[in-house]
């Protein structure tokens, strides 16, 4: 049984021009200890989906439909009081900007201890020991000294490690990481990613990794979801998505990477850009940029075509699949 | 131009305006006051500047609805027999004129100095900002009182009365430039860091063009906000100075000098000579300030959040 | 100099022994400090660039890579005249330009343009696309006829793939990728020879990055441009660059042809950097972990700038700063270990 199951999740933002559907029909599940990647362009709805799982959608947004089943409890229908028992405890989150988690006026030790006191009801001394241990586990040198420092006294990479340590404090079942390394350098990114990978494997923590970097997804995750204009367009095992993507958008995304072309050659670009949510075209949202577009793409939103371990929302793929059978 | 207009109509600005009752009411009141006062020669029943139309026999008539009232003078008359309604209309016009021109002067001075300080930085900036600090540490009224009193004493009341309106504009205008300079400097410092300024520097444009063509238009929002508030402040300063007898002369009264001239009679029961101009003044300053607050909220969404 | 081959080609742009430090505390009072009972004037500064020399030849696409804060943008800004160097010089077409008064710099300004990182901040929000693009044309061609300006603007807009019919729009009506195209168009309006691009695609989406990179490569072909291309994305460098300079703490640690650098990286830092790129294929060599953290550029380490994090540092590295030395492969590496053949 999967530890988290999301069914037909939909989030809307009431705007002055009308209601904007930021994500629609989002369904996926994740097993204990599994690592799932969510990729897509800026504005595709990755963060909204992640925030929605924790019911943290920024105002004026709200969850307008769907279920979020965590170990059988529907998080979407819990009271804020009940929700607190899961959020920040069994499901934790790592943000792109570490300062979203860290309070600049408190030492990192204070913040970690307070977290343990609220969620685990630990005593101060115990909590402090655990905090030091967690800091050590994310490879922060001399954690006994660092614990008394303020966030601004640490470098960016160090801060993100602290955030990971905080996320691990309560021994969560799921970590949701929203672009945890986008603000960092490649060398530090590699270290943080390795650390995250190692910790998730060691403690059997499920990881939902949001990123726009296909390289990172390829190296870290086992399964991947590709989002476009608020919808999942393809889902499957990471390796098969990267090696034989089915959806034209995914193919385009991968082929546009510089490493897919010989140096100096023209890159394979996808024409145009992703529509804003206000102007999603009818039918398949990707059709104006798609090279395989047919009439049905312009009018009908494609259903998922299912394969053994994956699914794709594309008319062209559906037709090909039918003819090949 | 058409595109700018379309941009304005589509903007959140107009949208927010239409949804805000306070803004609509304040704006309508302000518009009404401005229109009435500036068309006073056309609509006022009497011309308070024309001695031939004033009859001393009419003096101290209470408002029309009181027993001794006279229907010719809806708000009564003052001690010289001038119709209060007409006099207030003319007075409001003078107050608003002084307010606007004083702010125009303030803004020209303050914006130029603020731009220079913010853009060039270093010593120039330090010098100008210390100057502003010194200027601000004397209150506007104090500076104005000293300057105006000296002027009045040395050139005689006659000449002073003729030049009063210019003197007031000049004094209030000069005394308050630091407000502008500081606001402009702060937003110039923020704009200067943006890459579009670097881009025009790389193209080779000179400092003047960069400051006035590129940076200034992007600092207009805070300037707009501060301007509304400053107009209200200037009107208040003028009223205070006139009340102290350093402002507009009695034969060309502003709201402040009207309040002042009526003040002597308030004890003898002629409350209306002071009360009506005071009400108009309060209303005027209040609606301008309300509009200024609303503008600040609209143009500065960051302040508005959390 | 030792390199005879490249000396034949005339250098277009030379950066000679460049240093740039930003003073930290400005006022005299802030600088005064008590130390050991004495009042001393403490002038701290951020040493952003520490002795960089680079030659750029016509047609080059020289990429500068390195971690955040290593001084890449500072180089770009000194070269384009946005900052004055603390010492050293910038030579453009055999003419030293960094100390010229602004008026005399104008002819060189036209020949060297810059593209910026943030597509949302690099266009004036209060100017239409047309105003933005016409300004440099008019400025550098005083007295030009209106028709000619319009023609030039439309030509450039078409060449970067923005519909000239949109020239009356404001920047906020465009997407990030389109704005970056407009920024590129602005740089191209004055027919420059050198384009300094400071992370021009970092703020864009993956699918848009490819479009803009293609555009930059096309412009290079068609207008025979020379690029000084600053980025932290090594896979872009591999694709786009003809030569690569790897920077660390404001100095160059390795300078080589792209193929040489990616094929046989020599400096330990370059090796670590290359091993950290996330790749689609799973055959990446194991990530080389560096020890410690980047030192602050306020207190530079003694000796080799990299020695505090280097796995091979010895006594000489801790004392003496290495110079760029040319290897047989043509690469230049600043490392005692490589010079002594200690490091593979
Ligand atoms: N508070 C909000 N108000 C209105 N719309 C919002 C809000 N937050 C998000 N949206 C809309 O939801 C869409 C999806 O945003 P989201 O932040 O999930 O994108 P993303 O995929 O995480 O992109 P990025 O890579 O830039 O983080 C955006 O297009 C945005 O317009
Ligand atoms: N105007 C300035 N005043 C003071 N210090 C500065 C200034 N500009 C840059 N620095 C400092 O100089 C160093 C180099 O900065 P620079 O912006 O060149 O780095 P970079 O390599 O471009 O980094 P990034 O990849 O983050 O853009 C940094 O330590 C920075 O803090
Ligand atoms: Mg996001
Ligand atoms: Mg930079």
């Amino acid at each position: 049984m999967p530890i988290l199951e999301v069914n037909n999740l939909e989030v809307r933002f009431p705007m002055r021009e009308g209601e904007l559907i930021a994500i629609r029909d989002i369904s996926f599940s994740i097993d204990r200890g599994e690592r799932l990647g969510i990729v897509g362009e800026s504005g595709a709805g990755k963060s909204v989906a992640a925030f929605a799982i924790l019911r943290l959608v920024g105002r004026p947004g709200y969850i307008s439909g769907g279920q979020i089943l965590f170990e059988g409890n529907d998080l979407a229908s819990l009271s804020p009081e009940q929700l607190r028992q899961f959020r920040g405890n069994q499901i934790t989150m790592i943000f792109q900007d570490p300062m979203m988690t860290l309070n600049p006026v408190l030492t990192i030790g204070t913040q970690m201890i307070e977290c343990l006191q609220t969620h685990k009801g630990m005593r101060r001394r115990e909590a402090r020991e655990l905090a030091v241990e967690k800091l050590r586990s994310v490879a922060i040198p001399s954690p006994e000294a660092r614990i008394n420092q303020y966030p601004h006294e640490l470098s960016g990479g160090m801060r993100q490690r602290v955030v990971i340590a905080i996320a691990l404090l309560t021994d969560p079942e799921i970590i949701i990481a929203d672009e945890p390394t986008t603000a960092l350098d490649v060398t530090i990114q590699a270290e943080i990613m390795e650390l995250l990978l190692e910790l998730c494997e060691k403690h059997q923590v499920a990881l939902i990794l949001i990123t726009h970097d296909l390289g990172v997804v390829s190296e870290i995750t086992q399964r991947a979801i590709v989002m476009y204009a608020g919808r999942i367009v393809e889902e499957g095992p990471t390796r098969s998505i990267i090696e034989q993507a089915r959806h034209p958008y995914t193919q385009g995304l991968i082929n546009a990477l510089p490493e897919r072309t010989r140096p100096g050659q023209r890159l394979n670009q996808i024409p145009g850009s992703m529509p804003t949510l206000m102007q999603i075209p009818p039918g398949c949202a990707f059709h104006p940029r798609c090279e395989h577009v047919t009439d049905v793409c312009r009018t009908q939103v494609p259903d998922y075509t299912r394969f053994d371990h994956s699914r794709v929302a594309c008319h062209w793929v559906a037709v090909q699949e039918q003819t090949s059978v | 131009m058409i595109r700018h207009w379309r941009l304005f109509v589509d903007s959140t600005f107009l949208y927010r305006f239409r949804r805000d009752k306070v803004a609509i009411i304040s704006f309508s009141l302000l518009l009404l006051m401005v229109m009435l006062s500036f068309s006073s020669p056309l609509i006022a029943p009497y011309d308070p500047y024309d001695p031939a139309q004033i009859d001393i026999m009419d003096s101290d008539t209470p408002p029309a609805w009181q027993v001794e009232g006279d229907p010719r003078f809806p708000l009564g008359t003052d001690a010289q027999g001038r119709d209060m309604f007409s006099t207030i209309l003319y007075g409001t016009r003078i107050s608003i004129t002084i307010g606007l021109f004083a702010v125009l002067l303030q803004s020209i001075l303050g914006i130029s100095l603020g731009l220079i300080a913010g853009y060039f930085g270093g010593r120039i900036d330090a010098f100008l900002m210390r100057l502003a600090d010194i200027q601000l540490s004397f209150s506007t009224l104090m500076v104005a009182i000293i300057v105006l009193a000296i002027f009045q004493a040395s050139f005689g009341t006659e000449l002073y009365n003729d030049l009063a309106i210019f003197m007031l504009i000049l004094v209030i205008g000069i005394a308050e430039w630091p407000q502008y300079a500081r606001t402009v400097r702060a937003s110039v410092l923020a704009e200067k860091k943006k890459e579009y300024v670097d881009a025009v520097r790389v193209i080779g444009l000179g400092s003047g063009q960069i400051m006035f063509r590129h940076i200034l238009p992007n600092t207009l929002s805070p300037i707009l906000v501060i301007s509304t508030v400053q107009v209200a402040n200037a009107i208040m300063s003028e009223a205070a100075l006139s009340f102290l007898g350093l402002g507009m002369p009695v034969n060309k009264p502003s709201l402040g000098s009207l309040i002042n001239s009526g003040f002597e009679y308030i004890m003898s029961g002629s409350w209306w000579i002071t009360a009506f101009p005071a009400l108009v003044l309060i209303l005027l300053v209040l609606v301008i300030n309300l509009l200024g607050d609303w503008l600040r909220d609209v143009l500065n969404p960051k302040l508005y959040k959390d | 100099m030792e390199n005879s081959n490249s000396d034949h080609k005339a250098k277009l742009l030379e950066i000679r022994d460049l240093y740039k430090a930003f003073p930290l505390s400005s006022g005299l009072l802030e600088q005064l400090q008590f130390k050991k009972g004495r009042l001393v004037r403490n002038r701290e500064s951020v040493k952003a660039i520490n002795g960089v020399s680079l030659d750029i030849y016509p047609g080059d696409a020289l990429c500068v890579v390195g971690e955040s804060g290593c001084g890449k943008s500072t180089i770009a800004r000194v070269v384009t005249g946005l900052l004055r160097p603390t010492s050293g010089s910038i030579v453009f077409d055999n003419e030293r330009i960094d100390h010229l008064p602004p008026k005399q710099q104008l002819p060189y300004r036209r020949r060297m343009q810059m593209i910026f990182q943030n597509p949302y901040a690099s266009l004036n929000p209060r100017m239409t696309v047309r105003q933005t693009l016409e300004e440099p044309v008019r400025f550098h061609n005083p007295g030009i006829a209106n028709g000619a300006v319009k023609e030039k603007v439309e030509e450039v807009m078409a060449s970067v793939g923005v519909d000239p019919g949109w020239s009356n729009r404001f920047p906020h009506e465009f997407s990030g990728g389109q704005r970056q195209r407009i920024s590129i168009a602005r740089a191209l309006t004055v027919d420059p020879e050198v384009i300094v691009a400071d992370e021009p695609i970092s703020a864009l989406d993956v699918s848009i990055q490819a479009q803009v990179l293609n555009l930059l490569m096309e412009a290079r072909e068609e207008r025979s441009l020379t690029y000084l291309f600053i980025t932290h994305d090594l896979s872009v460098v591999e694709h786009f660059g003809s030569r690569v300079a790897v920077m660390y703490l404001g100095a160059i640690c390795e300078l080589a042809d792209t193929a040489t650098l990616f094929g046989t990286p020599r400096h330990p830092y370059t090796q670590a950097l290359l091993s950290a790129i996330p790749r689609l294929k799973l055959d990446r060599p194991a990530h080389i972990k560096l020890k410690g953290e980047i030192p602050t550029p306020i207190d530079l380490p003694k000796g080799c700038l990299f020695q505090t994090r280097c796995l091979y540092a010895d006594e000489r590295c801790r004392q003496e700063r290495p110079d760029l030395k040319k290897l047989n492969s043509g690469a230049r590496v600043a490392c005692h270990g490589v010079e002594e053949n200690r490091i593979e």
Side-chain angles (χ1 to χ4, degrees):
Chain A
M1 188 185 129
I3 185 164
L4 179 78
E5 195 177 326
V6 175
N7 292 324
N8 306 93
L9 191 61
E10 183 177 274
V11 172
R12 297 178 183 230
F13 288 94
M15 305 288 260
R16 104 159 113 113
E17 298 88 351
E19 272 205 330
L20 186 148
I21 306 179
I23 55 170
R24 61 182 89 202
D25 197 15
I26 298 291
S27 306
F28 64 88
S29 64
I30 183 167
D31 290 331
R32 202 172 289 273
E34 193 185 20
R35 296 185 302 277
L36 172 74
I38 303 184
V39 276
E41 288 175 66
S42 186
K46 309 182 294 291
S47 299
V48 170
F51 283 96
I53 294 173
L54 290 177
R55 294 244 312 262
L56 284 173
V57 182
R59 300 217 307 159
Y62 66 99
I63 297 177
S64 49
Q67 286 180 311
I68 306 155
L69 297 172
F70 176 75
E71 294 180 328
N73 306 294
D74 185 5
L75 300 187
S77 59
L78 289 184
S79 71
E81 203 51 49
Q82 293 167 311
L83 188 65
R84 201 160 306 150
Q85 152 195 1
F86 298 100
R87 184 201 291 167
N89 191 12
Q90 281 169 292
I91 310 179
T92 56
M93 189 141 182
I94 301 172
F95 301 95
Q96 172 175 351
D97 180 4
M99 294 315 272
M100 268 183 76
T101 311
L102 297 174
N103 184 338
V105 298
L106 297 178
T107 65
I108 56 176
T110 314
Q111 301 183 41
M112 295 177 84
I113 292 166
E114 271 174 10
C115 172
L116 282 172
Q117 283 174 328
T118 33
H119 281 301
K120 290 268 184 256
M122 278 189 181
R123 268 183 292 129
R124 211 181 154 74
R125 157 164 294 174
E126 254 182 308
R128 194 185 165 85
E129 272 166 21
L130 188 61
V132 169
E133 187 193 314
K134 293 283 176 190
L135 284 179
R136 187 173 288 126
S137 75
V138 295
I140 285 185
S142 54
E144 295 86 353
R146 294 280 177 182
I147 201 166
N148 293 323
Q149 287 188 310
Y150 289 90
H152 68 89
E153 297 175 284
L154 305 174
S155 69
M158 206 71 116
R159 266 182 230 159
Q160 202 59 291
R161 279 169 201 269
V162 172
V163 170
I164 294 178
I166 292 179
L168 288 171
L169 271 183
T170 53
D171 296 316
E173 303 280 358
I174 303 181
I175 297 182
I176 302 174
D178 187 2
E179 317 224 6
T181 55
T182 308
L184 302 174
D185 283 312
V186 266
T187 52
I188 302 166
Q189 161 170 319
E191 281 172 28
I192 298 274
M193 279 302 167
E194 249 162 57
L195 176 72
L196 213 50
L197 184 63
E198 194 185 296
L199 291 170
C200 287
E201 275 181 342
K202 189 163 138 204
H203 301 288
Q204 276 293 296
V205 183
L207 176 70
I208 299 180
L209 179 69
I210 296 170
T211 174
H212 55 252
D213 190 333
L214 284 162
V216 171
V217 169
S218 150
E219 293 190 348
I220 302 291
T221 63
Q222 298 152 329
R223 222 146 47 79
I225 286 176
V226 183
M227 285 186 69
Y228 188 82
R231 228 177 148 225
I232 295 179
V233 293
E234 182 160 1
E235 183 197 340
T238 306
R239 290 268 41 98
S240 81
I241 284 198
I242 286 189
E243 275 150 26
Q244 36 183 303
R246 290 201 161 96
H247 197 284
Y249 172 66
T250 321
Q251 291 172 349
L253 214 53
I254 291 169
N255 286 332
L257 294 178
E259 58 180 294
R260 279 310 179 101
T261 316
R262 266 191 298 135
Q265 299 292 306
R266 211 185 137 74
L267 296 171
N268 310 307
Q269 64 186 43
I270 312 178
S273 56
M274 194 174 77
T276 64
L277 293 179
M278 273 291 147
Q279 306 154 330
I280 294 186
C284 171
F286 184 63
H287 85 251
R289 303 174 74 185
C290 184
E291 52 180 337
H292 307 295
V293 60
T294 54
D295 280 340
V296 62
C297 304
R298 296 195 185 92
T299 51
Q300 265 184 36
V301 179
D303 273 336
Y304 291 106
T305 310
R306 287 175 195 279
F307 300 88
D308 285 348
H309 301 286
S310 58
R311 61 191 168 125
V312 182
C314 174
H315 292 300
W316 176 67
V317 172
V319 170
Q320 277 195 326
E321 185 61 15
Q322 271 167 10
T323 47
S324 74
V325 170
Chain B
M1 205 51 224
I2 294 167
R3 287 198 57 84
H4 279 93
W5 176 247
R6 215 202 75 203
L7 210 67
F8 175 71
V9 172
D10 288 349
S11 64
T12 42
F13 193 78
L14 210 60
Y15 173 79
R16 297 268 304 260
F17 181 76
R18 283 206 298 258
R19 307 193 93 199
D20 193 325
K21 284 206 192 70
V22 177
I24 295 178
I25 294 175
S26 312
F27 186 74
S28 324
L29 276 177
L30 181 64
L31 202 66
L32 187 75
M33 283 161 118
V34 170
M35 293 214 314
L36 283 181
S37 63
F38 277 79
S39 49
S40 47
L42 300 175
I43 59 169
Y46 300 91
D47 181 356
Y49 300 165
D50 182 2
Q53 291 188 20
I54 303 172
D55 190 346
I56 194 78
M57 297 305 289
D58 294 329
S59 65
D60 276 333
T61 314
W65 61 85
Q66 292 208 337
V67 191
E68 292 165 45
D70 184 332
R72 285 183 301 153
F73 308 117
L75 299 180
T77 62
D78 68 359
Q80 301 172 36
R82 291 184 294 196
D83 172 37
M84 279 313 294
F85 179 62
S86 312
T87 319
I88 288 175
L89 280 182
Y90 277 85
T92 313
R93 185 170 70 159
I94 289 186
S95 286
I96 294 179
T97 311
I98 292 178
L100 285 180
F101 278 96
V103 166
L104 189 69
L105 186 62
Q106 283 173 21
S107 57
I108 292 174
L109 268 177
I111 290 173
S112 321
L113 293 179
L115 266 178
I116 290 172
Y119 185 75
F120 290 107
R123 294 234 172 97
I124 301 178
D125 182 28
F127 173 74
L128 287 174
M129 284 303 115
R130 288 306 83 72
L131 202 66
D133 289 344
I134 294 171
Q135 173 113 53
L136 279 181
S137 64
F138 300 105
S139 80
T140 309
L141 275 183
M142 201 165 101
V143 176
I145 290 171
I146 294 171
V147 173
L148 292 178
I150 292 175
F151 187 83
Q152 208 168 17
S154 44
F155 290 92
T157 325
E158 199 79 343
L159 185 63
Y160 180 79
N161 284 353
D162 289 344
L163 293 179
I165 192 164
F166 299 108
M167 284 306 293
L168 282 169
I169 290 176
L170 208 63
V171 165
I172 299 174
I174 292 178
E176 295 246 320
W177 69 267
Q179 303 284 1
Y180 269 95
R182 283 187 168 180
T183 314
V184 173
R185 173 178 173 268
S187 29
V188 170
L189 286 182
E191 284 309 306
K192 196 173 75 164
K193 288 203 195 83
K194 296 199 180 152
E195 290 173 346
Y196 72 88
V197 177
D198 287 336
V200 283
R201 283 179 66 202
V202 171
I203 287 166
L205 259 59
S207 314
Q209 279 166 304
I210 298 179
M211 281 195 289
F212 287 100
R213 268 175 62 95
H214 289 270
I215 297 183
L216 183 58
N218 285 295
T219 57
L220 282 182
S221 319
I223 292 179
L224 203 61
V225 172
I226 192 176
S227 295
T228 40
V229 178
Q230 286 295 83
V231 170
N233 283 349
I235 290 175
M236 277 309 261
S237 302
E238 184 278 330
L241 288 169
S242 295
F243 185 77
L244 294 171
L246 289 165
M248 294 303 293
V250 194
N251 59 350
K252 264 195 161 184
S254 68
L255 289 175
S257 28
L258 273 179
I259 298 172
N260 180 28
S261 67
F263 212 61
E264 301 168 29
Y265 305 97
I266 207 164
M267 286 307 161
S268 53
S270 308
W271 53 269
W272 57 90
I273 310 183
T274 294
F276 291 125
L279 269 180
V280 174
L281 179 70
I282 291 171
L283 194 64
L284 185 64
V285 171
L286 182 71
V287 293
I288 298 179
N289 271 320
L290 285 176
L291 271 181
D293 281 353
W294 173 80
L295 260 183
R296 184 190 343 254
D297 290 347
V298 172
L299 297 178
N300 222 345
K302 271 190 216 111
L303 280 183
Y304 206 61
K305 272 191 203 158
D306 47 52
Chain C
M1 299 255 291
E2 70 249 85
N3 189 338
S4 56
N5 183 18
S6 49
D7 263 2
H8 290 308
K9 276 205 279 181
K11 295 165 191 161
L12 185 56
L13 182 66
E14 271 180 271
I15 301 169
R16 286 192 195 145
D17 206 23
L18 189 70
Y19 283 82
K20 176 72 194 177
F22 297 99
L24 265 184
S25 42
S26 44
L28 180 66
L29 275 181
E30 295 164 38
Q31 290 176 5
L32 293 180
Q33 278 182 353
F34 268 112
K35 258 194 196 151
K36 293 179 194 144
R38 265 193 294 165
L39 197 61
V40 285
R41 189 168 171 196
N42 181 10
R43 272 193 252 186
E44 282 199 324
S45 60
V46 179
K47 291 149 192 100
I49 303 183
N50 306 298
V52 165
S53 298
L54 274 177
D55 298 336
I56 300 169
Y57 299 93
D60 254 356
L62 178 64
C63 294
V64 179
V65 293
E67 283 173 277
S68 183
C70 70
K72 306 183 295 291
S73 299
T74 309
I75 288 201
R77 299 168 69 81
V78 171
V79 167
T80 47
L82 291 172
L83 288 174
R84 278 181 173 269
T86 308
S87 73
S89 55
I90 309 295
V91 178
F92 189 89
D93 213 2
N94 293 320
E95 181 87 31
R96 184 169 170 195
I97 57 168
D98 58 281
H99 63 319
L100 292 179
K103 274 258 150 49
Q104 289 175 39
Q105 281 187 16
L106 273 191
Y108 300 99
R109 289 280 171 103
R110 190 189 66 68
R111 296 169 64 185
M112 186 157 58
Q113 285 297 310
M114 186 159 173
I115 304 170
F116 297 85
Q117 172 172 7
N118 186 347
Y120 295 91
S122 56
L123 297 172
N124 187 338
R126 305 247 169 196
M127 283 168 96
T128 61
V129 173
R130 160 165 314 182
Q131 289 169 326
T132 300
L133 294 182
E134 282 186 354
E135 185 171 48
V137 183
R138 289 188 197 281
F139 182 76
H140 282 287
N141 308 286
I144 187 174
N146 282 342
V149 177
K150 194 158 179 257
E151 210 169 283
K152 181 79 202 168
V153 167
E154 283 181 0
E155 181 251 312
V156 173
M157 280 183 82
S159 78
V160 299
V162 177
D163 183 351
W166 289 355
S167 60
N168 280 330
R169 300 196 180 195
F170 287 90
H172 71 90
E173 300 176 63
F174 292 93
S175 71
Q178 284 171 320
R179 285 183 216 204
Q180 203 60 308
R181 287 168 189 268
I182 295 165
S183 294
I184 295 172
R186 174 178 53 196
L188 294 180
T189 48
V190 294
D191 296 318
E193 292 161 43
V194 178
I195 295 232
V196 178
D198 188 2
E199 315 229 11
I201 59 171
S202 311
L204 303 175
D205 270 320
V206 188
S207 80
I208 310 297
Q209 283 187 355
Q211 295 175 2
V212 172
L213 212 54
N214 278 343
L215 175 64
L216 289 172
M217 290 196 292
E218 275 162 28
R220 182 179 171 200
E221 295 269 298
E222 285 165 16
R223 297 169 192 259
S224 49
L225 290 172
T226 304
Y227 282 106
L228 177 62
F229 193 94
I230 285 158
T231 178
H232 59 254
D233 188 340
L234 286 152
S235 60
V236 170
V237 174
E238 189 171 12
H239 193 79
F240 183 83
S242 61
R243 285 193 303 146
V244 193
V246 181
M247 277 185 79
Y248 183 82
L249 267 192
I252 292 178
C253 49
E254 184 159 356
L255 174 63
D257 291 338
T258 309
T260 317
L261 188 114
F262 281 86
T264 51
R266 297 302 304 274
H267 196 284
Y269 179 66
T270 316
Q271 292 172 350
L273 207 55
L274 289 188
S275 78
I277 319 175
R279 297 271 188 184
L280 292 187
K281 296 200 199 84
L282 287 183
D283 55 2
R284 182 181 89 175
H287 171 218
I288 303 172
K289 274 195 196 140
L290 297 173
K291 58 180 193 188
E293 301 232 338
I294 307 182
T296 97
I298 299 168
D299 294 309
L300 294 179
K302 203 168 167 234
C304 175
L305 292 171
F306 185 58
Q307 73 44 33
T308 53
R309 301 179 72 195
C310 185
L311 304 173
Y312 309 96
D314 66 6
E315 198 45 39
R316 185 175 172 212
C317 301
R318 280 186 270 275
Q319 297 302 330
E320 194 183 321
R321 184 170 301 180
D323 289 326
L324 276 180
K325 292 265 162 55
K326 195 164 182 204
L327 308 179
N328 291 335
S329 63
R332 288 160 198 262
V333 182
C335 177
H336 295 309
V338 171
E339 191 191 344
E340 296 163 7
N341 273 326
R342 276 194 286 128
I343 301 175
E344 188 38 49

